[in-house]
Amino acid sequence: MPFGVRLSDLAAERPDGVAVVFVDATGDERDLTYAELDSLADRMARRLADRGVVPGDRVVAALPKSVEQLALGFAVWKCGATLVPLRHDMPLPERAPLVELAGASAVITERDLAGLADADADADVGDAAGFSGPSAVPASPLLVASGGSTGRPKLIRTPLPATITPGQPFNPVGAIIGMRAGQTVFTGSPPYHFMGFGNYLSVLEGGTSVVLERFDPGVLLDAIERHRVNLLVLVPTMMIRLLRDPTIASRDLSSIEAVVHSAAPCPPWVKRAWIDLVGPERVFEIYSSTEQVGFCVVSGKEWLERPGTVGRGVMTEIRVLDPEGGDLPAGEVGEIHMRLAGLPVPVYEYVGADRGPVTDDGFASVGDLGWLDEDGYLFIADRRTDLIISGGVNVYPAEVEAALTEHPAVADAAVVGIPDDEWGRRVHAVVEVLPGASVTPEELDAHCRARLSATKVPRSYDVTTDLGRNEAGKLRRSGLSPSG
């Protein structure tokens, strides 16, 4: 069933059911029923069609989180087109190449919303429901932008159907991590990140999507209690900030059926804290990528038995290869290659770049390094582009960052390699402190030396109040350098 048709069916079945709860930065809420969401999407679809959007087109949406942003996605699919979500605050020189790559027939920004969404802006459209446009299904619902580690713009064509079968999980991984129809779901990722698709998915599966205009630990905890949220989809920085909230121990989290995290390495202390908070059977990690070359899943129970693992492949075969393409034995670090079961070649495509490394038998890599244990559990070292070779020693930033975030004054940390005449690259840390907190480089150094071998301890530090990580938990390391 096409996404747009599914939304209309749900609106007919449960017109007064709440599809979306939007919480603004002050904590004020706006609810949208299925009937209201479908009517808004119909109105926007009709106006997109009037602007010339036809099946097979691509529509760029550079919008902040809002009810209208969510409705626009459904409107695009009702037109049979593909959605290209971008950051709403992306500077024009950065956005323009992506719009060109997409070959977009329409670019929707905040200033366009009134004309698309306002019921009074066009009397002949009004609140008319039942958009009677084409029923074509786009080849892919999304094109997701990625600058990668180099900053070179590209779009990733996601290997997803633009249809859903009621009563069946959209993705087999969902059943493993505790997803079910009718849940109340909070997905922390922004609309321009692939994980943000979860906001649409929870609606399509008959649930309620709780959307925060801006992530705030206290506001989210309030929403969890008030709306009895069942599923939390978080990135590690959000997990850390929630743990630092002084009220979390007294909050009612009994409605939570699963906490799912992905998108970035999770420090072990953070994982253990969440396992203690909600129970090992309710904590899950997914290791994958927008390209979806494969999936690994690990439960909290498995992780406690093998700390640090991201799990075993789900419908996925995994190989760890050396630079010459040879298979490495268990325990040795190499480049991770994955292949979805039954697929001879990867199904993703890049627009604006060549596909990444693929072996002759169809195992693909997105550049991550790691190793397998004897039982086939995967462990991540880091991305190859992030690896620091200092004095001939491999230093994986994620390990150093995990140690830094254990400091009670630290909200976030990033570790990069800086050119050095003696060491080749020296380890440099940029640390974001919590509001009202302070920490000196000397204190950070002592903290790290108590947890890391000398070769991994940063040789210099910068302390900041904003690391610059985006809402998806991603960080452009190339923009980090010592302040002095």
Side-chain angles (χ1 to χ4, degrees):
M1 183 178 291
F3 290 165
V5 174
R6 173 61 174 160
L7 177 61
S8 295
D9 279 6
L10 286 166
E13 292 171 9
R14 56 190 79 180
D16 298 325
V18 177
V20 182
V21 176
F22 181 75
V23 188
D24 70 17
T26 69
D28 290 339
E29 295 184 356
R30 173 188 174 190
D31 293 353
L32 210 67
T33 66
Y34 278 94
E36 290 169 335
L37 178 60
D38 187 52
S39 178
L40 178 57
D42 279 339
R43 190 158 62 244
M44 297 173 98
R46 195 180 304 275
R47 288 171 178 150
L48 288 173
D50 288 344
R51 296 186 183 195
V53 175
V54 298
D57 278 0
R58 296 167 179 175
V59 177
V60 166
L63 298 171
K65 288 181 182 177
S66 65
V67 167
E68 290 76 16
Q69 172 269 321
L70 195 64
L72 180 65
F74 286 110
V76 170
W77 296 324
K78 282 174 179 278
C79 290
T82 293
L83 180 67
V84 187
L86 299 180
R87 288 180 63 106
H88 75 284
D89 57 355
M90 181 179 286
L92 185 58
E94 189 176 349
R95 186 203 306 166
L98 290 167
V99 172
E100 184 178 359
L101 281 176
S105 60
V107 179
I108 308 301
T109 63
E110 278 188 276
R111 64 185 180 186
D112 300 302
L113 282 181
L116 288 175
D118 188 351
D120 299 322
D122 191 347
D124 66 330
V125 176
D127 284 313
F131 173 63
S132 58
S135 59
V137 178
S140 177
L142 297 171
L143 279 178
V144 179
S146 172
S149 57
T150 64
R152 177 183 174 187
K154 63 178 180 288
L155 296 169
I156 304 172
R157 192 192 316 276
T158 55
L160 291 170
T163 58
I164 189 168
T165 303
Q168 294 185 16
F170 182 80
N171 188 319
V173 172
I176 298 172
I177 61 174
M179 293 181 70
R180 61 172 177 79
Q183 283 179 314
T184 299
V185 178
F186 171 78
T187 300
S189 289
Y192 57 81
H193 188 266
F194 177 72
M195 282 177 62
F197 180 68
N199 287 321
Y200 294 105
L201 195 57
S202 55
V203 171
L204 289 167
E205 294 191 334
T208 300
S209 178
V210 176
V211 180
L212 265 61
E213 180 180 21
R214 186 187 67 194
F215 178 79
D216 179 279
V219 172
L220 177 56
L221 290 168
D222 288 343
I224 291 171
E225 291 182 318
R226 185 162 50 251
H227 299 288
R228 308 297 295 161
V229 172
N230 307 125
L231 177 66
L232 290 176
V233 183
L234 304 170
V235 299
T237 53
M238 294 176 180
M239 297 168 75
I240 292 172
R241 289 171 184 174
L242 285 163
L243 289 172
R244 303 286 199 208
D245 187 284
T247 70
I248 192 167
S250 63
R251 296 291 193 146
D252 179 6
L253 305 180
S254 59
S255 65
I256 295 175
E257 299 169 6
V259 175
V260 182
H261 67 91
S262 189
C266 183
W269 74 268
V270 176
K271 174 90 79 161
R272 290 184 187 278
W274 275 95
I275 287 173
D276 291 343
L277 192 65
V278 301
E281 71 283 356
R282 292 185 174 90
V283 177
F284 297 90
E285 180 172 3
I286 301 175
Y287 170 71
S288 186
S289 62
T290 303
E291 292 87 346
Q292 295 192 47
V293 298
F295 302 92
C296 286
V297 177
V298 63
S299 67
K301 182 177 182 299
E302 289 175 297
W303 188 91
L304 288 173
E305 295 167 353
R306 293 174 170 81
T309 184
V310 295
R312 289 191 288 188
V314 176
M315 300 185 306
T316 298
E317 302 167 87
I318 304 171
R319 296 169 66 189
V320 176
L321 306 182
D322 63 24
E324 287 71 44
D327 287 279
L328 289 168
E332 290 199 22
V333 174
E335 189 164 355
I336 301 163
H337 287 68
M338 308 174 86
R339 182 176 69 180
L340 287 170
L343 294 177
V345 294
V347 290
Y348 80 92
E349 294 178 8
Y350 288 143
V351 179
D354 295 329
R355 184 182 278 166
V358 182
T359 64
D360 291 341
D361 52 353
F363 283 78
S365 169
V366 293
D368 289 347
L369 302 175
W371 71 95
L372 291 165
D373 70 9
E374 296 286 354
D375 297 317
Y377 281 84
L378 181 65
F379 294 74
I380 306 301
D382 229 313
R383 291 190 65 82
R384 180 174 296 281
T385 51
D386 296 339
L387 174 66
I388 303 167
I389 302 176
S390 182
V393 176
N394 288 350
V395 178
Y396 298 103
E399 181 182 5
V400 185
E401 291 162 0
L404 284 163
T405 59
E406 287 187 67
H407 192 287
V410 173
D412 202 357
V415 171
V416 295
I418 302 298
D420 186 275
D421 291 339
E422 180 180 359
W423 296 92
R425 308 282 288 180
R426 63 180 168 89
V427 181
H428 175 72
V430 184
V431 172
E432 178 183 326
V433 293
L434 290 164
S438 63
V439 66
T440 66
E442 292 75 19
E443 291 170 333
L444 291 170
D445 190 66
H447 173 85
C448 287
R449 290 187 183 280
R451 291 162 173 78
L452 299 167
S453 62
T455 55
K456 300 175 183 178
V457 174
R459 297 181 178 275
S460 55
Y461 299 86
D462 274 340
V463 178
T464 181
T465 56
D466 185 5
L467 196 59
R469 197 182 292 271
N470 68 24
E471 295 172 279
K474 301 293 186 181
L475 187 72
R476 185 167 290 182
R477 294 176 188 270
S478 59
L480 300 174
S481 60
S483 61

